[in-house]
């Protein structure tokens, strides 16, 4: 899941969070890959799509990237203005590559594996070198580039760090289109946790296991953060499998926070989920024009899915059994049904009219405009709430904080919270000197003193000592929430089929929230369709739940 740097005002490292979040929902837009029986003609044509992609690239520019911090005009979305034919040609070629590689078995974990990174960092070049990242365009990308060029340059003055960015909607495809061509213009891809399985089974990123053992103090981290941001197959929630390989290291962390109006419900936040609903119901009744709740409901990115998964977790449900790859009968058991009933029949009536497609931007707007008693949002997306220019709750940060409180999520039958955040990885197709530099950067970045500097600059570190440091805890009022939430985190399915699974869940949960399906029917449909996806695949292992 995603994280975003939360900071307010001022220096090169503390960039304002006063941005629109409407495009955030596209950052984890599912990438769809065709599946079906392997036909003889498909197997004979395995190499042709990559040739087609190369021809398309010669006739059309690749998905545009930009250096962080510089404005760029992006192509208009389909449906607003016609997409140039060369863009269509490239997109079609990329889709054909992905489809045919699936037919040829190149995305099957049994037939592909990631190349290994050396345990010892190779000799670094003394020549000028640009170390390139790829991410989507948002404040963390700019902050990372500024931080790295200010701090890493002290150790490696011949190296320039460049964070290339793409529109949120193109993030996944910008990386995996290049992966499919076995040629990348980036050295360090920043992957969402659920992208790891796809990259590993296609052999797109380096296996860092031996490198980590020799260079990284793994005991300095909560084991689950190492697992979530780098391990495949994914371990059981809260545990790291020491025998599993690591393919990445933490870059940014995130989870949900409960945002509440202290002036409306009191200084003490609700402790249980049932209590939270009761408090929200009373607040809504006592304050006409203010909704009791605001939360993600959109059928885009993973919005509605994460909301259901969160409620599912606190009411004791499970999304699947990763050992048996069973979803039917697990997701839609009694606990799962109770969670869906709570979400649709108890929480939804307390939301604003017309909120059925709300996501991050809309929830933040409701809070800032004083229109919600209690809201749920990603911690890393909450910095703008303290900006007086965006809020009607006060003319200063202090006045806003007199009315807003931030707390960990209420518990119920369990105390689970959703995992957000991303890790950094090394492209298998990067030049050898750049791969060596990428490994060196990772070793440098994960040091205790650097992690604390990153925290002071507004980053969300993963080392326990950094998470508990004054540099992090004093930076924002919700940072303590993140530190307290780390032991409670639960992720989604870290498997190559992730994109299709989340798309099914998003669509059906959104339908239930908007009255297009009965809650039970929606949950049963999710379980049935997701089970079909897993049954049609040949991969084994993976998980996170």
């Amino acid at each position: 899941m995603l994280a975003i740097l939360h900071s307010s005002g001022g220096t090169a490292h503390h960039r304002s969070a006063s941005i629109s979040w409407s495009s955030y929902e596209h950052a984890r837009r599912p990438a769809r890959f065709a599946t079906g029986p392997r036909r003889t003609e498909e197997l004979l044509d395995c190499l042709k799509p990559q040739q087609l992609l190369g021809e398309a690239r010669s006739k059309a520019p690749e998905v545009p990237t930009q250096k962080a911090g510089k404005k760029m005009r992006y192509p208009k979305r389909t449906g607003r203005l016609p997409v140039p034919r060369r863009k269509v040609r490239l997109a079609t070629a990329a889709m054909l590559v992905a489809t045919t590689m699936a037919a040829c078995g190149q995305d099957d974990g049994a037939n592909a594996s990631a190349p290994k990174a050396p345990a010892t960092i190779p000799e670094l070049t003394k020549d000028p070198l640009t170390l390139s990242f790829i991410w989507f365009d948002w404040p963390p990308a700019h902050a990372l580039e500024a931080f790295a060029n200010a701090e890493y340059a002290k150790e490696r003055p011949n190296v320039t760090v460049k964070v290339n960015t793409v529109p949120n909607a193109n993030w996944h495809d910008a990386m995996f289109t290049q992966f499919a061509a076995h040629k990348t213009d980036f050295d360090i891809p920043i992957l969402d946790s659920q992208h790891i399985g796809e990259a590993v089974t296609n052999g797109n990123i380096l296996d860092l296991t031996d490198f980590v053992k020799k260079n990284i103090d793994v005991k300095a981290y909560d084991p689950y953060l190492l697992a979530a941001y780098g391990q495949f197959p994914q371990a059981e929630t809260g545990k790291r499998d020491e025998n599993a390989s690591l393919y990445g290291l933490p870059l940014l962390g995130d989870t949900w926070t409960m945002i509440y109006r202290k002036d409306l419900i009191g200084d003490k936040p609700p402790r249980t989920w049932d209590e939270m609903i009761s408090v929200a119901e009373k607040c809504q009744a006592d304050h006409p024009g203010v909704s009791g709740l605001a939360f993600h409901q959109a059928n885009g990115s993973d919005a509605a899915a994460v909301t259901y998964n969160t409620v599912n977790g606190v009411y004791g449900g499970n999304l699947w059994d990763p050992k048996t790859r069973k979803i039917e009968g697990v997701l839609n058991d009694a606990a799962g049904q109770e969670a869906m009933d709570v979400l649709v029949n108890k929480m939804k009536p307390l939301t604003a009219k017309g909120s059925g497609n709300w996501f991050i931007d809309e929830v933040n707007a409701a809070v800032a405009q004083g229109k919600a008693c209690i809201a749920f949002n990603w911690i890393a997306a909450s910095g703008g709430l303290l900006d007086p220019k965006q809020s009607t709750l006060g003319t200063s940060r202090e006045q806003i904080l007199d009315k807003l409180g931030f707390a960990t999520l209420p518990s119920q039958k369990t105390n689970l919270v959703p995992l957000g955040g991303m890790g950094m990885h090394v492209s298998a197709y990067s030049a050898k000197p750049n791969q060596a530099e990428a490994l060196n950067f990772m070793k440098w970045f994960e040091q205790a003193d650097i992690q604390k500097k990153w925290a002071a600059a507004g980053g969300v570190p993963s080392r326990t000592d950094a998470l508990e440091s004054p540099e992090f805890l004093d930076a924002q009022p919700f940072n303590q929430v993140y530190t307290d939430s780390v032991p409670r985190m639960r992720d989604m399915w870290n498997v190559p089929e992730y994109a299709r699974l989340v798309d099914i869940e998003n669509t059906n949960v959104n339908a239930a929230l908007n009255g297009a399906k009965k809650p039970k029917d929606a949950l049963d449909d999710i379980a049935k369709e997701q089970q079909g996806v897993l049954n049609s695949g040949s991969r084994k292992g993976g998980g996170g739940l």
Side-chain angles (χ1 to χ4, degrees), residues 198-479:
E198 182 182 353
V200 170
T201 54
N202 287 332
N204 302 142
I205 55 178
L206 297 188
D207 181 338
L208 304 180
T209 307
D210 295 339
F211 165 79
V212 170
K213 288 179 179 179
K214 186 167 184 177
N215 297 280
I216 305 297
D217 181 9
V218 295
K219 295 181 179 179
Y221 301 81
D222 183 285
Y224 190 46
L225 293 182
L226 285 177
Y229 300 132
Q231 180 176 301
F232 186 80
Q234 177 65 252
E236 181 182 351
T237 294
K239 298 179 181 179
R240 192 175 93 77
D241 183 356
E242 298 294 337
N243 296 318
S245 296
L246 286 171
Y247 300 88
L249 288 169
L251 178 65
L252 282 174
D254 202 6
T255 190
W256 271 18
T257 180
M258 179 172 65
I259 307 160
Y260 63 100
R261 288 285 298 277
K262 294 187 292 186
D263 58 324
L264 300 185
I265 71 171
D267 290 334
K268 294 183 178 180
R271 305 298 298 175
T272 70
W273 208 265
D274 287 347
E275 181 190 357
M276 179 272 296
I277 293 173
S278 296
V279 169
E281 186 175 19
K282 183 178 186 303
C283 181
Q284 179 171 286
D286 292 345
H287 302 280
V290 180
S291 63
L293 295 175
F295 54 83
H296 305 165
Q297 303 180 52
N299 181 16
S301 183
D302 52 10
V306 171
T307 296
Y308 171 72
N309 291 350
T310 300
V311 182
N312 172 283
V314 297
Y315 279 90
N318 289 286
L319 303 189
W320 71 326
D321 182 340
K323 294 182 179 179
T324 63
R325 292 171 66 88
K326 183 178 181 182
I327 294 179
E328 278 194 291
V330 177
L331 175 70
N332 55 338
D333 64 5
Q337 295 288 0
E338 181 183 12
M340 184 64 87
D341 178 70
V342 168
L343 175 61
V344 176
N345 294 320
K346 295 183 179 181
M347 294 175 61
K348 173 63 178 180
L350 299 177
T351 61
K353 186 177 181 179
S355 63
N357 282 302
W358 280 18
F359 197 23
I360 292 169
D361 208 19
E362 293 81 7
V363 170
N364 275 348
V367 174
Q369 295 167 12
K371 298 296 184 180
C373 299
I374 296 174
F376 297 96
N377 220 335
W378 294 107
I379 285 176
S382 300
L385 295 176
L386 305 180
D387 183 358
K389 295 180 180 179
Q390 301 183 63
S391 180
T392 63
L393 300 179
T395 58
S396 68
R397 176 185 172 96
E398 291 71 24
Q399 288 182 1
I400 295 172
L401 285 172
D402 285 340
K403 295 182 179 180
L404 283 187
F406 299 88
T408 55
L409 298 195
S411 59
Q412 192 63 36
K413 295 180 180 178
T414 79
N415 67 348
L416 295 174
V417 301
L419 172 108
M422 288 165 251
M424 50 185 170
H425 311 262
V426 180
S427 169
Y429 315 112
S430 179
K432 295 300 182 183
N434 296 63
Q435 288 183 346
E437 198 67 54
L439 296 173
N440 192 65
F441 179 90
M442 288 183 171
K443 180 179 179 179
W444 168 84
F445 186 80
E446 301 295 344
Q447 295 176 95
D449 60 329
I450 301 302
Q451 285 277 289
K452 290 178 181 179
K453 288 181 179 180
W454 178 230
V460 183
S462 292
R463 284 183 62 109
T464 302
D465 48 9
L467 287 175
E468 297 174 349
S469 69
E471 291 90 339
F472 178 66
L473 296 178
D474 296 344
Q476 293 284 8
F478 32 73
N479 283 2

Side-chain angles (χ1 to χ4, degrees), residues 41-231:
E41 61 267 30
E42 289 175 330
L43 295 173
L44 292 174
D45 288 343
C46 281
L47 297 179
K48 291 183 180 179
Q50 294 195 46
Q51 179 180 356
L52 174 60
L53 178 61
E55 293 173 352
R57 287 180 184 278
S58 68
K59 299 176 182 179
E62 297 184 18
V63 175
T65 59
Q66 70 179 87
K67 185 174 181 179
K70 292 187 177 181
K71 294 183 179 180
M72 179 176 181
R73 295 180 180 176
Y74 300 122
K76 296 291 185 179
R77 295 179 184 173
T78 305
R80 295 185 179 180
L81 287 177
V83 178
R85 291 182 180 178
R86 60 181 180 273
K87 296 291 186 183
V88 175
R89 184 185 298 115
L90 178 57
T92 302
M95 184 178 297
L96 184 56
V97 169
T99 303
T100 306
M101 288 181 71
C104 296
Q106 293 184 38
D107 68 342
D108 191 325
N111 296 327
S113 61
K116 286 184 175 291
T120 301
I121 298 173
E123 183 178 357
L124 301 175
T125 182
K126 297 179 181 178
D127 297 330
L129 183 144
T130 297
L131 183 64
S132 296
F133 288 69
I134 186 169
W135 211 349
F136 54 89
D137 189 17
W138 63 340
H142 308 285
L144 175 63
E145 181 174 277
F147 177 76
N149 282 317
E151 297 294 335
Y152 188 62
K154 296 175 182 178
E155 178 174 319
R156 296 284 293 153
N158 62 312
V159 175
T160 299
V161 174
K162 181 180 180 182
V163 180
N164 292 313
T165 61
V166 297
N168 286 355
N170 292 349
W171 176 39
H172 172 281
D173 293 350
M175 295 183 291
F176 282 86
T177 297
Q178 293 191 52
F179 283 154
H182 291 189
K183 183 178 181 181
T184 63
D185 61 8
F186 53 82
D187 309 306
I188 300 181
I190 298 174
L191 300 179
D192 209 350
S193 57
Q194 290 83 21
H195 294 157
I196 297 172
E198 182 182 353
V200 170
T201 54
N202 287 332
N204 302 142
I205 55 178
L206 297 188
D207 181 338
L208 304 180
T209 307
D210 295 339
F211 165 79
V212 170
K213 288 179 179 179
K214 186 167 184 177
N215 297 280
I216 305 297
D217 181 9
V218 295
K219 295 181 179 179
Y221 301 81
D222 183 285
Y224 190 46
L225 293 182
L226 285 177
Y229 300 132
Q231 180 176 301

